[in-house]
Amino acid sequence: MSKPRLALYWAASCGGCEIAVLDVEEQILAVAEFFDIVFWPCAMDFKYKDVEAMPDASIDLCLFNGAIRTSENESMARLLRRKSKLLVAFGSCAMDGCIPGLANLTTREEIVRFTYQDSPSTANAAGVRPQPRCEVPEGELEIPEFYESVRTLGQVVPTDYFMPGCPPQPPQILAVLSAVMQGAPLPPRGSVIGAGEKTCCDECGRVRKEKHLKHFYRPWEIEPKPDECLLDQGLICMGPATRSGCGALCIKANVPCRGCYGAAPNVADQGAKMISALSSVIDSQDPGEINWILDQIPDPVGTFYRFSVPVSILHRKQTV
Ligand code: SF4
Ligand code: SF4
């Protein structure tokens, strides 16, 4: 009997999601035994033409990590959508845009100009920039087009499931793969899988009290008490706005949650939810003092929207 066919692909991301797959440790052998791995460029030498030659819907499960930054990312997303029965946005970049999505706070022109002309380590007096196509003696060279905005997988192709995390935690990856391998009933299409249905605060064991915040700290400014809520101690912890599922991993290491599991269930905009949560605990009625307290947050967008700019209500910095 032929095995189910599995594909893994890496678009605009750091590669951490691929490492997280290997972090299921020896269970990867059971995964490799169960599936026929038909495409995994990070681990084995496959060519895109190998995928193009596959019949449509012949891949049973495709774990697609990474955002859509370039035309290559988009064409692979469309190709793998066509070839896959189940396409999973695997990890925060594919699901929410994540760190690559922070580029939506600037423009393609600003990124290209800094990278190829203005950065202190660049010597490019002629201002040469990469072109999507150029002629060389051997023929025409083509490189992917760099898009104006970063998009998520679900903003480009219909996506069956969404698995959050930067990266998804190995026990969650294993739980999802095991469910598929055991033939468990699949949740409705469009569901978030490999995560919880509550907030990160709900799986955090720290003691909380009524919050009255007058001062915010950067993580390096204080050594937080190990048992008390980090937000109560003045550290911005994204737990109230973030989906559960990681086991409050960072908080157990005495580090605030940065929000990598994305918006909590039924929350449309993770950053807006966190701003709303904070606005109710700032301990002042005086506008001047409120501004002084808020000024202690040096990078509000990078703090509240670190993982979710492309799926936020604004999607990107608006330029008119
Ligand atoms: S804000 Fe952070 S530290 Fe406080 S309860 Fe929520 S997850 Fe835990
Ligand atoms: S605690 Fe927050 S930032 Fe850390 S792994 Fe969990 S969701 Fe991600």
Side-chain angles (χ1 to χ4, degrees):
M1 198 178 86
S2 63
K3 295 179 180 181
R5 291 155 63 87
L6 173 68
L8 300 98
Y9 186 67
W10 170 356
S13 63
C14 72
C17 290
E18 306 259 348
I19 294 167
V21 172
L22 295 174
D23 279 348
V24 302
E25 299 182 338
E26 71 278 3
Q27 299 296 331
I28 194 71
L29 298 176
V31 173
E33 177 65 29
F34 182 83
F35 289 103
D36 185 7
I37 300 177
V38 295
F39 186 56
W40 193 2
C42 172
M44 290 174 263
D45 183 23
F46 294 96
K47 306 294 182 216
Y48 291 171
K49 64 180 168 50
D50 299 333
V51 184
E52 285 158 4
M54 294 175 191
D56 287 358
S58 62
I59 298 171
D60 293 283
L61 175 65
C62 175
L63 303 180
F64 188 108
N65 81 82
I68 309 301
R69 163 85 279 182
T70 68
S71 55
E72 180 188 30
N73 302 149
E74 178 170 2
S75 66
M76 284 308 294
R78 294 190 184 284
L79 179 63
L80 286 165
R81 170 65 285 180
R82 207 167 69 241
K83 302 297 176 183
S84 305
K85 290 193 185 91
L86 292 180
L87 179 66
V88 177
F90 183 70
S92 176
C93 290
M95 177 171 163
D96 288 339
C98 195
I99 304 303
L102 288 170
N104 286 5
L105 300 176
T106 181
T107 63
R108 172 176 54 189
E109 169 58 24
E110 285 171 352
I111 293 169
V112 171
R113 194 175 61 235
F114 183 80
T115 307
Y116 292 97
Q117 291 171 245
D118 295 348
S119 88
S121 59
T122 300
N124 180 12
V128 175
R129 292 184 175 191
Q131 303 299 320
R133 286 182 187 77
C134 72
E135 292 293 336
V136 294
E138 293 79 10
E140 187 182 66
L141 286 181
E142 185 179 350
I143 60 171
E145 183 190 343
F146 188 79
Y147 288 155
E148 182 70 31
S149 296
V150 171
R151 288 174 293 167
T152 67
L153 182 64
Q155 288 169 339
V156 171
V157 293
T159 302
D160 298 306
Y161 296 109
F162 300 85
M163 190 161 172
C166 178
Q169 288 307 300
Q172 293 284 17
I173 298 172
L174 198 53
V176 167
L177 289 175
S178 298
V180 173
M181 288 156 66
Q182 288 160 13
L186 295 172
R189 302 232 169 181
S191 297
V192 172
I193 57 173
E197 286 302 319
K198 296 183 173 178
T199 69
C200 194
C201 286
D202 290 319
E203 60 180 358
C204 167
R206 290 178 180 248
V207 176
R208 279 169 267 180
K209 52 187 191 215
E210 204 176 330
K211 296 176 181 30
H212 299 285
L213 295 177
K214 271 196 184 297
H215 200 116
F216 291 115
Y217 299 96
R218 310 293 302 277
W220 50 268
E221 288 182 295
I222 59 168
E223 187 170 339
K225 296 178 198 132
D227 302 325
E228 288 181 19
C229 169
L230 296 166
L231 197 51
D232 289 351
Q233 299 179 63
L235 291 169
I236 293 185
C237 179
M238 289 286 291
T242 299
R243 183 179 281 273
S244 61
C246 69
L249 201 62
C250 301
I251 300 137
K252 284 179 183 157
N254 222 12
V255 176
C257 170
R258 286 299 176 220
C260 81
Y261 263 60
N266 303 316
V267 168
D269 186 303
Q270 187 181 21
K273 170 72 179 171
M274 191 63 204
I275 293 165
S276 161
L278 282 185
S279 64
S280 61
V281 296
I282 289 185
D283 186 16
S284 179
Q285 304 291 325
D286 172 44
E289 189 182 36
I290 291 172
N291 281 339
W292 178 82
I293 295 170
L294 293 178
D295 281 348
Q296 295 163 25
I297 304 170
D299 177 15
V301 179
T303 302
F304 303 129
Y305 289 94
R306 180 171 303 187
F307 298 94
S308 64
V309 172
V311 291
S312 68
I313 293 167
L314 288 177
H315 173 58
R316 62 160 296 115
K317 178 182 175 185
Q318 303 298 310
T319 49
V320 282

